[in-house]
Amino acid sequence: MSTEMNQEPFDGAQGKPGDDRAVDLVLRPQNWDDYVGQDKVKRNLKVILGAALKRKEACDHLLFFGQAGLGKTTLANLVALELGAPLRITSGPALEKMADLAAVLTNLNAGDVLFVDEVHRLNRLIEEVLYPAMEMRKLHLVVGKGPAARTVTMDLPPFTLVAATTRPNLLSAPLRSRFGASFKLDYYEVVDIEAIVRRSARLLGVQIDDKAISIIARASRYTPRTANRLLRRARDYAEVHGTGVIDEAAALKTMEMLEIDELGLDSHDRRILEIIIDKFGGGPVGLATLGAAMNEDAGVIEDVYEPYLMSIGLLTRTPGGRKVTEAAYQHLGRSHQAKML
Ligand code: ADP
């Protein structure tokens, strides 16, 4: 068992798990001012944290949900910082057995913040042990087997669970109801992403001009982690092919090399749209059928790719399945004629 977070959430169509993790840590905001955007979330969160501090009580359990790379882990760090408590990090898949959860919970000190990433991947058995731990700070453990089995109850110190998920709809209602507050992280505004890219460039010690910042921000899928990774790729390009300064030409060339278009779509995103157009007449097509046609896990399409395609209006969900929009035809330079053939 590991209490380290061993799985970086998959970063959309444009990255691999664990990609450039060390740099990710360098760029992670360490205070509220550096955490750009998400103003409503920050405001509401600060009220809850402030109230808990004033009462000198453990803060309510918190749930953060939203796409990978939008800042859930960063926010959990800030929560711990604000509460003056260490952040203990684990994840749904790491808590596979009862013993895993018991080890994590019994090692907590009063006031600790426990971060569970990918909480939707907890199995039901573990979830059921978590309920009384969250609600009453009791850990019920079954010791022994068969007729000799008995339940031992342990008291836990006051702690705050901060959970993150990309798929809140997969959480069971009882688990969801045990969070005092939940916060949805949305895609960022372009100006916010621009501010993030500017700050990251400063931290990385790389010069970048405004046009390049704008190109990267627009290609970032409105997602900070993607923006930071595109910045690093542009830095690589500028170091190898230019003077080290990221200008408009270097930024454009980087996007071209990565096959990322001006809407931030990469080849995989475009393939999803193309397959729906070419094989299914533009849709509607069911997710499972689409997954089979793409040789891709339907859950990955649903979780990783389609939220962004839907958010920019290229894909819609209808009762009959997924359907591409007129804007998608236009973006791909296709006409509806092609659909009729
Ligand atoms: P998640 O947990 O939602 O997958 P992270 O919190 O790991 O996302 O964020 C990924 C990276 O994006 C962080 O390392 C950080 O550099 C950057 N980042 C995320 N949110 C913000 C923000 N609001 N302001 C500045 N940088 C951010």
Side-chain angles (χ1 to χ4, degrees), residues 5 7-11 20-29 31-38 42 64-78 115 117 164-166 185 188 192-193 195-197 199-200 203 223-229 232:
M5 189 162 50
Q7 280 195 304
E8 190 84 348
F10 190 78
D11 187 11
D20 291 323
R21 188 189 300 235
V23 189
D24 221 27
L25 289 181
V26 172
L27 299 180
R28 179 160 284 160
N31 57 60
W32 294 102
D33 289 340
D34 285 344
Y35 193 91
V36 178
Q38 310 286 358
K42 282 199 284 186
F64 299 145
F65 61 100
Q67 290 300 299
L70 288 180
K72 299 180 295 299
T73 307
T74 309
L75 216 45
N77 274 286
L78 293 178
F115 179 58
D117 199 14
T165 180
T166 50
L185 296 193
Y188 288 63
D192 291 336
I193 297 286
I196 291 171
V197 172
R199 168 181 175 271
S200 298
L203 290 176
T223 303
R225 185 186 292 131
T226 307
N228 283 339
R229 199 185 39 261
R232 296 194 297 264

Side-chain angles (χ1 to χ4, degrees), residues 242-304:
T243 55
V245 176
I246 306 174
D247 55 14
E248 184 181 13
L252 286 173
K253 207 74 196 155
T254 305
M255 299 313 145
E256 194 185 310
M257 269 170 39
L258 297 173
E259 296 181 54
I260 294 172
D261 63 31
E262 64 284 0
L263 289 184
L265 307 193
D266 68 9
S267 51
H268 201 96
D269 297 304
R270 287 189 294 269
R271 199 168 147 250
I272 292 176
L273 300 175
E274 280 161 3
I275 284 188
I276 298 178
I277 291 173
D278 294 337
K279 291 203 173 165
F280 304 101
V285 52
L287 197 58
T289 312
L290 179 60
M294 296 198 59
N295 201 12
E296 177 80 84
D297 183 67
V300 172
I301 297 177
E302 185 176 23
D303 193 16
V304 177

